[in-house]
Amino acid sequence: MTRGEEARQLGRIAVGAGVAGAVGAIGAALGAGFVVLLKRQAAHARAVIGKPFGEIAPLADKVYKKKYGDRVELLLLGDSIAAGLGAEDADGTLGARLATGIAKKTRRAVRLTTAAKVGSESWMLPEQLMSLLPSYRPDVAVVIVGGNDVTHRIPVSDSVRHLTETIEALRVRGAAVVVGTCPDLSALRALPQPLRSLGARASRQLAAAQAEAAHGAGAYVVSLAHVVGPFFITNPDEMFSLDRFHPSAVGYKRTAKAMLPSVLAALGVRDQVPFGHQAPTRP
């Protein structure tokens, strides 16, 4: 799915959510005007976002810090953020940043495997997992998904069901799981108001549901809206890539640093996790 299509879908969400509210509150005439406004805003967002990076993220899969030995198997599942779209090269992706961080903290080599795909929704997570060899056993899996569920208006209940099933399947493989919840779309300055606010509300609702489901399913949970969202809001020029939609290499570096405490806790390297993180309720 292209960035323009994502923006178009977000416009559709806003139309669906906004018309009902406008009609109920201020009448059908103003509701129709609101629809026109949102359609114009979505068209503007498509033009602004574009797709300067295409549809394929840099391939970062390899063994990091081979000299350390005693390898950690790191798996990334999810959407374009998990895949690293927006980074200028492989070293700038989220996976590469996490692998490097794990290696430095544990003094162990880390083999990164990225099954995440640009444009993925939660229902695609089982497909990503099935693309791996049945014998593959990750030590820790990081899952980030949800933005495309919001833009495609996927029911929250469906999104969290697929996420929960994926967590359970990963645990069967012996993996500890860390879920980064849906980012807060209010940081997307390319989307004008009120389109941005409607998308933000939907993203927060999904993130809350993801956190509850993942926590109960035995995963560590990292609220991306809390641990990195403020940096994207206050420093958009630095944190976003050229498309103003995906993180830059700096944005991925900050995101990896923020997620690392839960990843290390999942690996048994540390006991406590900071604000914005939740340890699982069951081992």
Side-chain angles (χ1 to χ4, degrees):
M1 175 181 173
T2 67
R3 307 285 68 76
E5 288 169 342
E6 288 178 341
R8 184 181 303 114
Q9 290 293 344
L10 188 50
R12 289 173 184 164
I13 309 184
V15 169
V19 171
V23 170
I26 57 178
L30 287 181
F34 195 56
V35 172
V36 173
L37 171 63
L38 291 172
K39 286 183 176 180
R40 288 176 179 172
Q41 289 186 340
H44 174 72
R46 289 196 300 272
V48 170
I49 292 171
K51 50 176 182 177
F53 302 106
E55 300 298 318
I56 300 175
L59 181 60
D61 289 7
K62 66 176 184 178
V63 178
Y64 292 78
K65 302 294 182 182
K66 291 181 182 180
K67 63 182 180 180
Y68 292 153
D70 190 19
R71 193 165 66 199
V72 174
E73 294 287 347
L74 169 64
L75 171 65
L76 260 69
L77 299 176
D79 56 23
S80 54
I81 293 178
L85 189 68
E88 292 83 359
D89 54 36
D91 289 341
T93 62
L94 178 64
R97 296 290 189 181
L98 283 173
T100 301
I102 293 168
K104 288 180 177 179
K105 292 294 185 180
T106 63
R107 310 300 289 180
R108 296 173 63 184
V110 179
R111 181 166 71 175
L112 171 64
T113 300
T114 305
K117 301 294 183 184
V118 174
S120 289
E121 302 164 19
S122 295
W123 68 267
M124 300 177 185
L125 292 174
E127 292 183 358
Q128 293 178 12
L129 197 53
M130 289 177 62
S131 71
L132 304 168
L133 292 174
S135 59
Y136 175 64
R137 294 291 183 268
D139 293 300
V140 60
V142 174
V143 184
I144 300 178
V145 72
N148 293 313
D149 294 64
V150 172
T151 61
H152 286 169
R153 296 179 294 173
I154 304 299
V156 170
S157 59
D158 290 349
S159 295
V160 298
R161 175 169 55 84
H162 293 300
L163 177 61
T164 301
E165 290 171 354
T166 300
I167 294 169
E168 292 171 347
L170 285 165
R171 286 168 57 83
V172 168
R173 288 189 182 230
V177 184
V178 179
V179 173
T181 57
C182 182
D184 187 346
L185 298 187
S186 67
L188 296 178
R189 299 291 180 86
L191 301 179
Q193 298 289 12
L195 184 61
R196 192 193 318 161
S197 293
L198 291 167
R201 183 187 307 167
S203 66
R204 291 167 188 155
Q205 290 173 343
L206 176 57
Q210 287 176 323
E212 182 178 4
H215 190 232
Y220 285 80
V221 176
V222 182
S223 171
L224 295 182
H226 287 98
V227 300
V228 294
F231 294 100
F232 282 87
I233 292 172
T234 58
N235 301 294
D237 292 339
E238 182 180 45
M239 302 297 288
F240 280 107
S241 62
L242 291 175
D243 65 5
R244 315 297 296 170
F245 197 88
H246 294 93
S248 64
V250 174
Y252 281 123
K253 181 178 181 179
R254 174 63 69 176
T255 302
K257 181 179 180 180
M259 296 192 71
L260 192 58
S262 276
V263 176
L264 294 175
L267 289 168
V269 176
R270 61 178 291 168
D271 297 325
Q272 302 297 320
V273 291
F275 171 77
H277 297 243
Q278 285 181 292
T281 53
R282 58 177 173 142

